[in-house]
Amino acid sequence: MSHTHRRDGHGRRRGGPDQARGRPRGVWGAALALACAAALTACGPDGGDADAAGAASDAPTSPAATPTGMGTPAEPAPSSPPPTSAAPSASAKPGGIARCETDGLALSLVANGQEMNSKYFDLRLTNTGSEPCDLLGHPGVSLLDAGGKRVGEPATRSQDGTGDGGAVRLRPGQAAHATVKTAGEGVTDGRCWPEAATLLVYPPGSRQTVTTADLAGLRVCGDSFQVGPVGDRAP
């Protein structure tokens, strides 16, 4: 019995150190388990680092991220369709003949006789330029005194003369003609406008004027002052 007791005591003495050595193993094992649990929590599905790592590993490589000179080159952008029509050149000249401008016209007035109690005058616009030009319509006609003030009223339009309303083409040196008409002084009891010093004319379609001081004896009487459309010959 004594021997058995000693063996049991010896066994307990041997078992004591084993248990003492086992306790540290249990403590460190628990600590390691807690550390792994914390690591799994940080790196698990809800962790930002895990998501970023997973996204980086699973995301396909973008062509844009391929370094220059490596991988498949990007496709070129499609070119724009050609315009349906080209804009006209700014230097292209318009077709046809230009309208006569005042800086290429000379004005003159020629007496053309008296008929049916009316006096007639041939108003001429001569092309002094080097290119042909066109005139179309009625000129604007006024009289001015020596101080540049208008005498009476501008001429009203009539259909007297050779013009038919169509365009008149003037080659260099050619003249267009318009008929100016007023009443004869003898049939108006002397009711005439003061004598003028200048004839002022707006060529058809122009805002500029040409003038002449040679009135060829024109004096408006009876408040009758008319001008016809331009034509290609004298009346």
Side-chain angles (χ1 to χ4, degrees), residues 31-210:
L32 180 60
L34 290 174
C36 288
L40 289 174
T41 302
C43 302
D46 296 334
D49 293 339
D51 288 344
S57 62
D58 296 337
T61 302
S62 172
T66 304
T68 304
M70 299 177 62
T72 304
E75 294 184 1
S79 59
S80 300
T84 55
S85 61
S89 171
S91 60
K93 295 181 180 179
I97 302 297
R99 175 174 55 83
C100 298
E101 301 293 343
T102 55
D103 58 359
L105 291 172
L107 171 65
S108 60
L109 190 68
V110 178
N112 203 33
Q114 182 171 337
E115 182 182 353
M116 299 292 294
N117 299 322
S118 296
K119 296 180 70 172
Y120 294 88
F121 298 83
D122 179 19
L123 186 155
R124 300 175 180 177
L125 293 168
T126 302
N127 180 6
T128 61
S130 59
E131 299 290 337
C133 61
D134 285 351
L135 288 176
L136 173 65
H138 289 73
V141 181
S142 294
L143 297 171
L144 305 177
D145 63 16
K149 184 178 179 180
R150 192 176 69 195
V151 176
E153 298 296 329
T156 59
R157 294 181 177 183
S158 73
Q159 294 303 316
D160 293 316
T162 62
D164 59 2
V168 178
R169 180 156 299 172
L170 304 179
R171 293 192 299 271
Q174 285 188 319
H177 303 265
T179 298
V180 174
K181 181 176 73 172
T182 186
E185 186 176 351
V187 299
T188 61
D189 297 329
R191 292 181 290 105
C192 299
W193 295 353
E195 291 187 8
T198 302
L199 178 70
L200 180 145
V201 173
Y202 288 89
S206 177
R207 294 180 178 272
Q208 305 297 321
T209 62
V210 289

